[in-house]
Amino acid sequence: MVSHKSPATQNISRREFVKHAGMVVAATSAISIERLAHAEGREGFRVGLIGCGGRGSGAAANAMNAGKDIKLVAMGDIFEDHLRGARERLKQMYPDQVQVDDEHCFVGFDAYQKVIASDVDVVIIAAASHFHPVMLKAAVEAGKHVFCEKPHAIDVPGLKMAMAACEEARKKNLAVVSGLCWRYDYGVREAMKRVLDGAIGEIVAIQETYITTPYVVRPRQPGWSEAYYQFKNWYHFNWLSGDQTSQQLIHSLDKASWALHDRPPLRAWGLGGRQACLDPKYGDQFDHHAVVFEYDNGVRVFGYCRDIPGCYNETSDIIFGTKGRCYLPNKPRIEGEVEWQYTGPKVSMYDVEHKEMFDSIRAGNPINNGNYMFTSTMLGILAQMVCYTGQLITWEEAMQSTHSFSLPRYGFDIDPPVKPGPDGVYPTAVPGITKFA
């Protein structure tokens, strides 16, 4: 049995972790000589896109929606067809803003380095989640402002790298904006402001539900290597995505963390497995998770995630307080002693996060979302840990994890860390047998 730790011990551990990562969350932004990353005297922004799938293409569009002076000038992906298709679609949508010539279309596992090395001011990172920490680190080292999709890491060593990059960005006065998009939704913001101001009293519990159908799969084609197939279907392989706790439930856990002032829980435990999605096309992930996070003040957060066809679907957040309840994310409302419903404008949160990023750079006070990027990403990692192992794991213990999904080399010829068995089925974690590391 994993031992329980006192709140004081847990808090010390968090400080030690932050120290190790090189990040001081409470530090204020220091104005440096690198005040703006884009060339002095140049109007507008030159943007480079790393990862040209659906989310990357969408993020590039959201960036260009933030101003006519924002130009997409470089793109990179490990798959040429993804890159070419994205460039064509975006060029049709933004003929004057997409200015990516053939010389700035980079293909391969080093494409991200070439995009960063291009004459760009802002980098959009939306590749397979496995690579986010390395790409974020490289972009900040090169003095670029960054929009980075969630999750920001899928293991603790990667999270330490990402958070050290956020602190370095703070010192350089560079923007780091997170793809945890609900922080930028107007209705959710208004509701959360009221919750934090006490509209529902003291929070006693939060229910987070993200139950839906499996993400898109790409059929295996003749001639594909095993590595090529897994990179094409990265979302369904744990070593590339971090499973659904980091891909989907993280959005829900981020809202719960927001309501709780982004402080970490004491510990967590959970249930999970692979029950219905047994076809090899679903990779090695679980198809259901249920997680309980226990906080030092007695609050519990209950997180539910499921990706099984033919089931009831719901994406919702319910925050229970001593004086009422708050319902998110659609049609945000509060019931209880205070009755309230959001009636303001509905604006794309994806557009808002980019608009606010570029506005902050123009104002010389770039946004840095590093604080909640750390906590919410770690919640997703911890959720996977407890579901895969079947153990109760404290926050402190989780933050000391040395398990890394990183590989010494990348390519379509590598031997991937998980391979199908004789029956074609990929092995997965087994609670009670899989060990915490």
Side-chain angles (χ1 to χ4, degrees), residues 125-143:
I125 299 173
S129 304
H130 177 100
F131 300 105
H132 285 179
V134 170
M135 292 174 174
L136 175 58
K137 179 177 184 289
V140 171
E141 285 180 346

Side-chain angles (χ1 to χ4, degrees), residues 144-172:
K144 312 299 182 182
H145 301 287
V146 182
F147 171 83
C148 185
E149 255 305 334
K150 59 78 201 165
H152 309 297
I154 59 173
D155 54 39
V156 173
L159 181 58
K160 290 179 178 179
M161 179 186 295
M163 293 306 100
C166 286
E167 178 56 20
E168 183 65 17
R170 195 186 307 277
K171 294 175 182 176
K172 290 184 173 183

Side-chain angles (χ1 to χ4, degrees), residues 179-198:
L180 290 166
C181 49
W182 288 105
R183 300 269 181 159
Y184 290 87
D185 181 86
Y186 287 172
V188 172
R189 278 179 170 177
E190 286 293 322
M192 201 65 73
K193 180 180 184 299
R194 286 163 171 77
V195 168
L196 294 173
D197 286 344

Side-chain angles (χ1 to χ4, degrees), residues 55-175:
R55 181 74 281 269
S57 299
N62 300 133
M64 288 184 282
N65 287 342
K68 295 295 185 182
D69 61 341
I70 297 166
K71 315 295 184 184
L72 180 65
V73 300
M75 300 172 69
D77 200 285
I78 62 173
F79 296 109
E80 184 172 4
D81 60 331
H82 291 186
L83 190 156
R84 300 295 178 186
R87 182 174 69 160
E88 181 178 346
R89 292 190 303 272
L90 289 168
K91 184 66 174 176
Q92 291 176 352
M93 296 168 61
Y94 303 90
D96 298 327
Q97 291 175 261
V98 176
Q99 301 176 358
V100 186
D101 56 28
D102 289 344
E103 289 70 30
H104 289 87
C105 290
F106 305 110
V107 177
F109 288 89
D110 63 349
Y112 78 96
Q113 297 171 327
K114 295 176 181 178
V115 170
I116 293 170
S118 301
D119 185 22
V120 297
D121 312 311
V122 179
V123 174
I124 296 171
I125 299 173
S129 304
H130 177 100
F131 300 105
H132 285 179
V134 170
M135 292 174 174
L136 175 58
K137 179 177 184 289
V140 171
E141 285 180 346
K144 312 299 182 182
H145 301 287
V146 182
F147 171 83
C148 185
E149 255 305 334
K150 59 78 201 165
H152 309 297
I154 59 173
D155 54 39
V156 173
L159 181 58
K160 290 179 178 179
M161 179 186 295
M163 293 306 100
C166 286
E167 178 56 20
E168 183 65 17
R170 195 186 307 277
K171 294 175 182 176
K172 290 184 173 183
N173 206 33
L174 298 172

Side-chain angles (χ1 to χ4, degrees), residues 201-243:
E202 295 295 322
I203 295 172
V204 295
I206 302 176
Q207 175 182 303
E208 296 294 353
T209 306
Y210 204 126
I211 51 177
T212 182
T213 55
Y215 194 68
V216 63
V217 295
R218 295 185 173 92
R220 189 188 296 267
Q221 301 297 320
W224 284 8
S225 67
E226 179 61 33
Y228 192 98
Y229 172 73
Q230 291 192 22
F231 282 118
K232 273 285 188 180
N233 287 278
W234 68 268
Y235 200 92
H236 298 282
F237 289 93
N238 178 47
W239 72 279
L240 288 168
S241 70
D243 212 319

Side-chain angles (χ1 to χ4, degrees), residues 10 14 30 40 44 88-89 101 113 146 189 205 227 231 233 270 289 353 369 373 391 400 412:
Q10 180 268 331
R14 173 174 168 80
E40 186 174 354
E88 181 178 346
R89 292 190 303 272
D101 56 28
Q113 297 171 327
V146 182
R189 278 179 170 177
F231 282 118
N233 287 278
H289 305 79
E353 57 190 351
N369 293 151
M373 286 168 65
Q391 304 302 314
Q400 302 307 316
F412 295 133

Side-chain angles (χ1 to χ4, degrees), residues 155-157 385 389 393 397-398 400-404 434-437:
D155 54 39
V156 173
M385 288 176 174
T389 64
I393 301 175
E397 289 165 336
Q400 302 307 316
S401 171
T402 58
H403 174 69
S404 173
T434 297
K435 302 299 182 183
F436 167 72

Side-chain angles (χ1 to χ4, degrees), residues 370-390:
N371 184 14
Y372 68 76
M373 286 168 65
F374 158 75
T375 309
S376 297
T377 297
M378 191 63 195
L379 288 171
I381 294 171
L382 177 56
Q384 186 206 46
M385 288 176 174
V386 299
C387 289
Y388 273 35
T389 64

